[in-house]
Amino acid sequence: MIRHIIAAIAAALTVWAILYMAKLDQEVNRLQMIHEIIQKSKLEVPMAKKATPTQQPQKAEESEEEKKLKVLKEKAGRMSAFEVSTTYRRNCASCHGINGEGAVGPKLIGKNKEYILQALKDFKSGKRKNYVMYGLLQQLDDKELDDLATEIGSFAQKLKEAQ
Ligand code: HEC
């Protein structure tokens, strides 16, 4: 009799263990999927879109999938709060963040134009030594440096307006 009970308990435990593992597996798959979506969303740097009346109807038509992706992107912190120039987005955003919030490179938002311009000039001339910034700035002329400094100098204000 005792043997039967033990056998029954063992069988029940086995079934429970199998079910539990299956559930864990599902959970892991789900996490993996979320992780992949976040990774994908990081690949392209999304641009801020000004909400114009003509874009409103489009927004309503967004698929469920797109909405979810957007939420994930926001969570991943890659959504830009305001629009930036193509020059900045292409050359600088990857390291300094889409809104200058900093990543590999230091945070730029909140620093004034004069400071930024001086830093850029010093990097370009080699007075301030940084191999990455030096190489990058060789391709930009004085006008572009000035424009970038002006733009970055206005990031803090733009962020304020966007919030
Ligand atoms: C590959 C990464 C990378 C890219 C791309 C990049 N930077 Fe940098 N940037 C850095 C790093 C790293 C530093 C820190 C260097 C140091 O302080 O020695 C830096 C420093 C700076 C600083 C000085 C910040 C401070 O607080 O003194 C400014 C300004 C700056 N970058 C502007 C730009 C601009 C404008 C662009 C686009 C044209 C750009 N960076 C592109 C990596 C990058």
Side-chain angles (χ1 to χ4, degrees):
M1 184 60 191
I2 286 280
R3 256 197 229 156
H4 284 125
I5 291 170
I6 290 173
I9 290 173
L13 272 178
T14 311
V15 171
W16 178 80
I18 289 169
L19 286 178
Y20 186 71
M21 295 295 243
K23 221 185 93 190
L24 269 186
D25 225 38
Q26 252 180 15
E27 205 65 23
V28 168
N29 277 347
R30 259 220 343 249
L31 284 177
Q32 183 72 29
M33 237 171 63
I34 292 173
H35 180 75
E36 270 166 25
I37 292 174
I38 291 177
Q39 285 307 109
K40 271 187 208 145
S41 73
K42 274 182 186 167
L43 289 181
E44 42 131 9
V45 179
M47 273 176 70
K49 284 206 186 92
K50 282 243 162 68
T52 54
T54 50
Q55 275 173 335
Q56 292 300 355
Q58 255 183 344
K59 266 195 182 145
E61 284 164 18
E62 260 177 8
S63 74
E64 219 36 48
E65 217 54 39
E66 275 172 325
K67 270 185 212 153
K68 275 183 198 157
L69 198 64
K70 226 182 203 172
V71 171
L72 281 174
K73 277 182 184 171
E74 263 159 4
K75 276 192 185 150
R78 300 290 296 174
M79 206 58 191
S80 64
F82 52 83
E83 209 159 342
V84 296
S85 69
T86 316
T87 316
Y88 178 83
R89 190 161 41 86
R90 286 213 183 121
N91 298 292
C92 323
S94 52
C95 292
H96 290 285
I98 185 66
N99 287 151
E101 68 275 20
V104 182
K107 180 175 150 214
L108 298 178
I109 191 165
K111 287 171 186 159
N112 65 37
K113 183 200 163 166
E114 286 67 35
Y115 177 85
I116 299 287
L117 188 58
Q118 194 57 53
L120 293 181
K121 282 180 176 163
D122 289 349
F123 281 129
K124 192 177 175 185
S125 70
K127 186 176 160 203
R128 189 168 163 185
K129 292 199 173 17
N130 183 270
Y131 188 71
V132 173
M133 290 300 300
Y134 175 83
L136 206 98
L137 295 178
Q138 297 313 307
Q139 301 149 39
L140 300 176
D141 61 28
D142 285 355
K143 163 100 171 60
E144 285 169 313
L145 293 195
D146 197 87
D147 286 349
L148 271 171
T150 306
E151 183 189 0
I152 295 167
S154 73
F155 273 4
Q157 184 59 32
K158 279 189 180 164
L159 182 64
K160 229 195 232 164
E161 282 162 14
Q163 277 167 349

